[in-house]
Amino acid sequence: MTPHAAPKFVRFLVAIATALGALAALPAAATGTSPAAAAAAAPYALFGGKPLEWERSGGKLVGVYTPNWQPAALVDALHGDSVTHVIYAFLHVCGPGQLAEDAPKCAGKPDYQIATSAVDDTFNDAFARLEARAPHVKVVASVGGWGGSDPFFHIADEAAPRAAFAKSAADFLRAHPAFDGIDIDWEHPTNNGSANGVQLGSPADGQGYADLMAALRGALDTLTAENGHKYILTGAINCEHVIVDKVNYRDAAKSMDYIFMMTYDFYGGWKKVIGNHAAPRASAAGAEDGLDAAIRTMTGAGVPAGKLVAGVAMYGRGFTGVARPAPGRGFTGEAHTGTYPAPEGSSDWRELAARYVDRHGRGLHGYQTIFDPQTHAWNLYNARNKLFMGYDDPRAVIEKGRMAREAGLAGVFAWELSQDNGDVLNAMNFGVGNQLLQP
């Protein structure tokens, strides 16, 4: 090296060092930093066990389901700036396919009308108080659910029932002014899986879904013309090809504001093998058990990314009789002998955090928290008792928020508020880029 070359070489090294320093300063999403490292950069305790207050600086939707079998006090305790949307679950429909339990509420009602009760009025008052302190929050009433979707199979494919139901939805909003829209939780058009002991569904449901959304959009727009309030229309859906390929989501999306992708319940007692039921990334090429796969499926079906909302689970699903996999393999696809805890094989995050996960995200009482580099999910595993629990760890939830930002999604939502101790909702906010309000 010549004396004249030395200064140039030094400047070259300095330039490299400067570039590396700038690269290190970039957000984790830009550099491919591991989810654990990205989560470690959070400006708060990820497992602090309490809801924090956030500045809505990320510009993304943050939604939570609030079931009507839980106390309305949950809404009163909610930090308004922690959410943009609340989804009230569930309203049911009278007439063909109605649930037996809804008979008292449906007495004297025409077919295809929404069943209502005093509980809805109680929540309407709670939502009005929420919107008084947080005017940006939008509340939508979700109709259906896994057990309550059978009436849609009798409504969607014919014009008269669609019109009657759409009018009933508008009537509900007119009578409950704290609500800002309707959500349709019809998860399996074309095949209800005999959810209530009666097999329903036909290929016509695929177009019927889009026609139902168009009818609802028309009814909501008519109501907007009446009172000046802008109403939103959303839906919660299963994102597997077995359903998506049969439904005209491309046209349905034209009538809808958002589509909530149920990127959870990928695994459960209904399957012979285990896996994390809410993983950010699929377990293998071609697998459909991750958020990334759902995004590809729905955008491939013609739904704009900006209308899609990523799903988060505020609960885990557990399996018994799970042997530790061979070295280098994850747990996905391993056999099980049953589910736990009884009766449904699921545990709220609130319970998992209190019993099995410490304030640093490590396992307790014989459990380990194990990161799966393929799915980017954390799982709880008790080797002695052969117990496996897949759940949406706050670190994984942060990654889901990052993924939503990178893919241009509308944001993230979770099922459901009562199951959280604050950790998951905090992670949703941090993941989509919201800033913590310092105490």
Side-chain angles (χ1 to χ4, degrees):
M1 181 181 299
T2 68
H4 296 289
K8 294 182 180 179
F9 182 69
V10 170
R11 288 196 298 269
F12 176 69
L13 291 177
V14 169
I16 291 177
T18 301
L20 290 174
L23 187 62
L26 287 174
T31 63
T33 301
S34 73
Y44 68 98
L46 294 186
F47 302 90
K50 65 178 182 180
L52 302 174
E53 295 190 61
W54 296 86
E55 191 69 66
R56 292 175 287 108
S57 54
K60 293 293 184 182
L61 184 156
V62 177
V64 289
Y65 271 88
T66 301
N68 54 16
W69 54 87
Q70 297 292 344
L74 278 172
V75 178
D76 289 320
L78 182 62
H79 289 312
D81 283 325
S82 295
V83 297
T84 62
H85 292 69
V86 176
I87 308 102
Y88 174 68
F90 288 110
L91 299 176
H92 291 158
V93 183
C94 302
Q98 80 176 45
L99 293 173
E101 67 195 53
D102 291 327
K105 293 189 288 186
C106 289
K109 278 185 173 288
D111 290 348
Y112 316 122
Q113 304 298 296
I114 291 176
T116 58
S117 72
V119 173
D120 305 320
D121 299 330
T122 298
F123 272 92
N124 182 76
D125 293 343
F127 292 137
R129 293 191 293 271
L130 171 63
E131 292 169 333
R133 66 181 187 272
H136 68 277
V137 173
K138 302 298 181 185
V139 179
V140 295
S142 186
V143 187
W146 168 248
S149 292
D150 281 1
F152 293 134
F153 292 93
H154 302 277
I155 292 171
D157 300 342
E158 296 184 24
R162 285 197 303 268
F165 172 70
K167 180 180 181 301
S168 178
D171 289 342
F172 175 87
L173 295 174
R174 190 179 289 108
H176 300 83
F179 286 82
D180 302 286
I182 294 292
D183 174 74
I184 299 299
D185 194 304
W186 186 13
E187 300 166 17
H188 298 88
T190 72
N191 187 343
N192 73 340
S194 300
N196 298 300
V198 178
Q199 179 63 43
L200 295 170
S202 75
D205 297 338
Q207 182 58 40
Y209 185 95
D211 294 340
L212 175 61
M213 293 301 169
L216 285 164
R217 180 77 272 160
L220 298 186
D221 288 349
T222 298
L223 186 57
T224 295
E226 174 186 312
N227 61 21
H229 187 84
K230 177 69 171 72
Y231 293 94
I232 61 177
L233 177 61
T234 67
I237 68 166
N238 179 306
C239 296
E240 295 179 323
H241 277 287
V242 67
I243 297 294
V244 175
D245 291 350
K246 300 175 183 176
V247 178
N248 186 359
Y249 285 117
R250 182 184 300 273
D251 283 350
K254 297 173 183 177
S255 301
M256 303 170 74
D257 294 277
Y258 302 111
I259 293 179
F260 298 114
M261 299 187 294
M262 296 173 54
T263 45
Y264 44 77
D265 290 346
F266 292 126
Y267 292 91
W270 54 90
K271 289 196 173 182
K272 295 180 180 180
V273 297
I274 73 162
N276 186 293
H277 82 100
R281 302 186 184 277
S283 60
E288 296 187 87
D289 53 358
L291 170 59
D292 58 347
I295 295 171
R296 288 192 297 270
T297 298
M298 295 312 302
T299 54
V303 178
K307 290 192 174 186
L308 296 173
V309 190
V312 169
M314 291 176 164
Y315 62 97
R317 289 196 175 276
F319 299 89
T320 61
V322 178
R324 183 181 289 276
R329 285 191 48 171
F331 282 93
T332 304
E334 295 296 316
H336 67 87
T337 59
T339 62
Y340 86 103
E344 296 182 352
S346 65
S347 285
D348 297 352
W349 167 250
R350 182 188 300 275
E351 179 183 9
L352 295 178
R355 298 184 64 184
Y356 305 124
V357 182
D358 72 12
R359 291 300 180 93
H360 302 284
R362 300 172 302 206
L364 294 169
H365 306 300
Y367 282 89
Q368 297 174 277
T369 52
I370 301 175
F371 175 70
D372 182 341
Q374 174 62 42
T375 63
H376 287 202
W378 273 260
N379 304 296
L380 279 163
Y381 184 62
N382 187 311
R384 178 178 179 181
N385 296 325
K386 295 186 177 181
L387 299 175
F388 172 93
M389 176 71 67
Y391 65 101
D392 239 349
D393 187 279
R395 292 164 288 195
V397 173
I398 289 172
E399 176 160 11
K400 285 185 173 181
R402 270 178 37 196
M403 293 171 67
R405 284 160 39 210
E406 292 169 358
L409 306 189
V412 294
F413 80 98
W415 177 274
E416 49 89 357
L417 182 61
S418 74
Q419 299 171 316
D420 189 25
N421 64 354
D423 293 341
V424 178
L425 186 55
N426 290 338
M428 292 165 66
N429 275 278
F430 182 62
V432 298
N434 290 342
Q435 293 179 323
L436 180 67
L437 283 178
Q438 298 298 328

